[in-house]
Amino acid sequence: ESRKEEFNTFCFYESNMNESVVEQFQLISDLRKSIERRELKMVYQPQVDILKNKTVGAEALIRWENRDRGFVSPTRFIPIAEKKGLMTPIGEWVLRNSCNQLENWKENNLRETTMAINISGVQFNDKRLLPLIRNIFYNKVDTSLIELEITESAFVDDIDLSIKTMYGLKDMGFKLAIDDFGTGFSSLSYLKRFPIDKLKIDKSFIENILDEQGNIAIVKSILNLAQNLDLKVIAEGVETVEQRDFIKNLGCPLIQGFYYSRPLDAKEFILFHNDKINK
Ligand code: C2E
Ligand code: MG
Ligand code: MG
Ligand code: MG
């Protein structure tokens, strides 16, 4: 950020973002109002076991629909919310909401369905995370049904502290997944030390898998790595039958993607879950 630029142009841009400070300020102000008006909601994208042809879980994803702005993508508002301190209340709301939803699944006979919840970098590195999570989930739901998704970028600051936090979560029974795997730079030697359960292959590798040798090689090596480290693995962003078949032939057992389903609201998810998958 440059003060000088701010005076010169008022509407200056920060190096890592495409939005001006003014735009970010307005976005945060609208987001605050939407939180008060309870306009945030969660949707659930099915995760399918392709051998059993069965929905085994869902990823909980936040949605923000504002009366003036319409739909705002989380890829746009989350980085700004993180920077402006709004991700703490939003993250807490996501956790509480997910806990209630898991109780609701149980009442609807979805007793083994797992729920993946995204934990932002700021949230993961917040000292209050462990007590907060204990407070929300303790004695309420079976925490082994919950998979907390963390991206590699959350780890950069202090690896030992990150590992300690991961163990804190594991001690409470949660499963841990590394999201967008392959896009960060966590070294493989660290991976061995992480008490994680699953890798999520980033969708950028799946997108062109049919015509990019490089992506085929990357996906193959992630599958190998997962097998050798005894981790589960899921491919994200599978949109077509060709991609599904290709990934299946490489031996990937789990898939999340528009091919099976877009993220669904809570009611739709239960219906989808109870339907036979004929694909
Ligand atoms: P992510 O955690 O990697 O989530 C997967 C994203 O890929 C979702 O985008 C999902 O809708 C999208 N996706 C799934 N299948 C396909 C497909 O076949 N094709 C394509 N093109 N996209 C697919 P979404 O919901 O827009 O979320 C984007 C990112 O925002 C998430 O990436 C996650 O990093 C973040 N996010 C979303 N909800 C939350 C949340 O509740 N908390 C936190 N901390 N982050 C969240
Ligand atoms: Mg995720
Ligand atoms: Mg991802
Ligand atoms: Mg992502």
Side-chain angles (χ1 to χ4, degrees), residues 42 45 59-63 73-75 78 87 94 118-120 123 149 179-180 203 236-239 256-259 263:
M42 299 303 290
Q45 187 176 30
E59 177 173 8
L61 295 158
I62 197 166
R63 289 294 174 263
S73 166
T75 55
I78 286 177
M87 219 32 218
V94 167
N118 292 282
I119 302 290
S120 80
Q123 213 181 355
E149 295 190 358
D179 204 353
D180 304 343
K203 57 177 176 295
E236 210 168 42
V238 174
E239 294 186 354
Q256 178 184 338
F258 294 171
Y259 172 69

Side-chain angles (χ1 to χ4, degrees), residues 124 127 129-130 155 158-172 176 193-195:
F124 182 75
K127 282 192 208 69
L129 180 72
L130 293 180
F155 304 144
D158 180 346
I159 263 320
D160 290 318
L161 187 63
S162 295
I163 292 174
K164 213 176 139 201
T165 304
M166 288 188 239
Y167 274 106
L169 296 167
K170 288 296 294 176
D171 285 345
M172 288 188 259
L176 301 180
R193 294 176 56 204
F194 293 164

Side-chain angles (χ1 to χ4, degrees), residues 160-200:
D160 290 318
L161 187 63
S162 295
I163 292 174
K164 213 176 139 201
T165 304
M166 288 188 239
Y167 274 106
L169 296 167
K170 288 296 294 176
D171 285 345
M172 288 188 259
F174 294 96
K175 300 281 194 286
L176 301 180
I178 301 207
D179 204 353
D180 304 343
F181 188 74
T183 62
F185 64 94
S186 64
S187 84
L188 298 182
S189 63
Y190 281 135
L191 202 58
K192 210 175 51 180
R193 294 176 56 204
F194 293 164
I196 52 167
D197 302 280
K198 195 190 232 177
L199 302 177
K200 292 194 85 174

Side-chain angles (χ1 to χ4, degrees), residues 55 108-110 268-277:
T55 304
N108 281 281
N109 254 320
L110 275 64
E268 291 169 337
F269 175 73
I270 292 176
L271 293 175
F272 182 93
H273 179 280
N274 293 335
D275 249 18
K276 283 239 162 26
I277 293 176

